[in-house]
């Protein structure tokens, strides 16, 4: 079975532009989360979606938005890009929304460079 | 609030020797703890998790972790290190966000770079 897949793998954008990152969860998984990993740091939680509804949001500005589609795939959108948005954006999926020991599986990430 | 700490930025071990990567946690309620590994320019790979039960958890690639409630630690271990184990390791805890939050997110430590010399 395919794991979590993300696209594009690498992209370069200019300050002020908009970017859309895409994610397909593992088959059968209904929960998708997005994380930002800045170089040299651990991943930081951005959003969680479950059954197409936003279930949680991290400490990120309104320039960041996301949505989940009926097939459980997801998009992360970032508007008015800043240099500080340069990071690895990781998508993760899990089978349920539970708060227990449900394992979260990560994709390979999308490397975003803002110049 | 839930948190994890990885006190060592880097751990250096000779191949064939045992290795330990340290992690301490702070949670309210039951701890759900995870270890992930990240190879250069790659995403995160799940290694193992502690939910309940045995304090010694076995995971992928020969890794194991010891849960110690009294010391609030969840150290990652391997009896005999391989050069291919060289990577960045993250300890993480599930943050259930409190009763008013429906989010179920993972909080990561700052990471420990493991370097295995031949």
């Amino acid at each position: 079975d395919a794991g979590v897949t993300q696209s594009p793998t690498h992209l370069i954008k200019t300050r002020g532009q908009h970017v859309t990152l895409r994610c397909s969860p593992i088959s059968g998984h209904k929960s998708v989360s997005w994380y930002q990993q800045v170089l040299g740091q651990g991943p930081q939680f951005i959003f969680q979606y479950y059954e197409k509804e936003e279930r949680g949001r991290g400490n990120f500005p309104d320039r960041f938005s996301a949505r989940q589609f009926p097939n459980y795939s997801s998009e992360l959108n970032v508007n008015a890009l800043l240099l500080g948005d340069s990071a690895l954006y990781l998508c993760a999926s899990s089978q349920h929304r539970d708060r227990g020991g449900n394992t979260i599986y990560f994709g390979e990430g999308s490397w975003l460079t803002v110049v | 609030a839930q948190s994890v700490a990885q006190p060592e930025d880097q751990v250096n071990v000779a191949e064939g020797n045992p290795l330990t990567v340290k992690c301490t946690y702070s949670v309210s309620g039951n701890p759900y703890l995870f270890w992930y590994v990240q190879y250069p320019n790659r995403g995160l790979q799940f290694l193992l998790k502690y939910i309940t039960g045995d304090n010694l958890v076995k995971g992928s690639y020969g890794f194991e972790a010891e849960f110690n409630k009294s010391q609030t630690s969840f150290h990652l271990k391997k009896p005999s290190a391989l050069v291919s184990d060289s990577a960045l390791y993250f300890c993480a805890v599930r943050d259930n966000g409190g009763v008013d939050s429906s989010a179920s997110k993972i909080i990561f430590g700052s990471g420990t770079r493991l370097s295995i010399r031949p």
Side-chain angles (χ1 to χ4, degrees):
Chain A
D1 285 343
V4 179
T5 58
Q6 294 186 240
S7 64
T9 54
H10 294 80
L11 68 166
I12 300 174
K13 292 286 188 177
T14 304
R15 278 178 297 175
Q17 284 189 316
H18 163 92
V19 68
T20 297
L21 307 178
R22 296 177 175 83
C23 171
S24 292
I26 292 171
S27 178
H29 285 194
K30 298 182 178 180
S31 177
V32 170
S33 300
W34 288 93
Y35 289 77
Q36 180 196 64
Q37 185 180 15
V38 173
L39 195 63
Q41 299 180 18
Q44 299 290 317
F45 173 76
I46 309 176
F47 286 109
Q48 182 197 16
Y49 276 76
Y50 179 74
E51 290 286 12
K52 300 176 288 295
E53 292 188 11
E54 180 181 310
R55 301 293 180 165
R57 183 185 186 112
N59 188 23
F60 281 81
D62 292 343
R63 301 185 294 108
F64 288 77
S65 64
R67 55 180 176 169
Q68 187 177 33
F69 299 100
N71 66 353
Y72 302 108
S73 67
S74 177
E75 283 183 356
L76 175 69
N77 295 283
V78 186
N79 293 323
L81 285 167
L82 303 173
L83 295 179
D85 295 331
S86 296
L88 177 65
Y89 288 85
L90 295 162
C91 176
S93 79
S94 60
Q95 198 166 14
H96 305 294
R97 187 182 66 86
D98 73 59
R99 302 181 180 191
N102 199 22
T103 300
I104 294 180
Y105 295 94
F106 285 83
E108 293 292 324
S110 294
W111 285 96
L112 171 64
T113 301
V114 182
V115 298
Chain B
Q2 275 82 331
S3 65
V4 291
Q6 294 182 243
E8 303 156 317
D9 290 336
Q10 176 136 359
V11 171
N12 299 308
V13 177
E15 187 175 30
N17 284 359
L19 68 87
T20 299
V21 183
K22 296 180 180 177
C23 172
T24 58
Y25 66 89
S26 174
V27 301
S28 54
N30 295 325
Y32 300 105
L33 299 161
F34 303 82
W35 276 100
Y36 286 85
V37 60
Q38 187 174 37
Y39 295 99
N41 301 314
R42 304 292 298 276
L44 299 177
Q45 292 184 29
F46 169 74
L47 278 179
L48 51 81
K49 66 182 178 184
Y50 172 82
I51 305 173
T52 186
D54 289 342
N55 290 340
L56 187 63
V57 179
K58 294 188 181 298
S60 306
Y61 313 120
F63 283 93
E64 57 191 24
E66 186 173 9
F67 172 72
N68 188 316
K69 187 173 183 178
S70 63
Q71 297 184 6
T72 62
S73 66
F74 189 55
H75 300 333
L76 182 70
K77 300 182 179 184
K78 187 173 183 180
S80 179
L82 300 173
V83 173
S84 58
D85 293 330
S86 298
L88 189 57
Y89 289 80
F90 289 99
C91 181
V93 64
R94 183 181 292 273
D95 180 358
N96 293 328
V99 294
D100 295 328
S101 172
S102 59
S104 177
K105 64 185 180 184
I106 299 291
I107 296 176
F108 288 88
S110 55
T112 298
R113 187 164 300 281
L114 179 62
S115 178
I116 309 299
R117 61 183 183 275

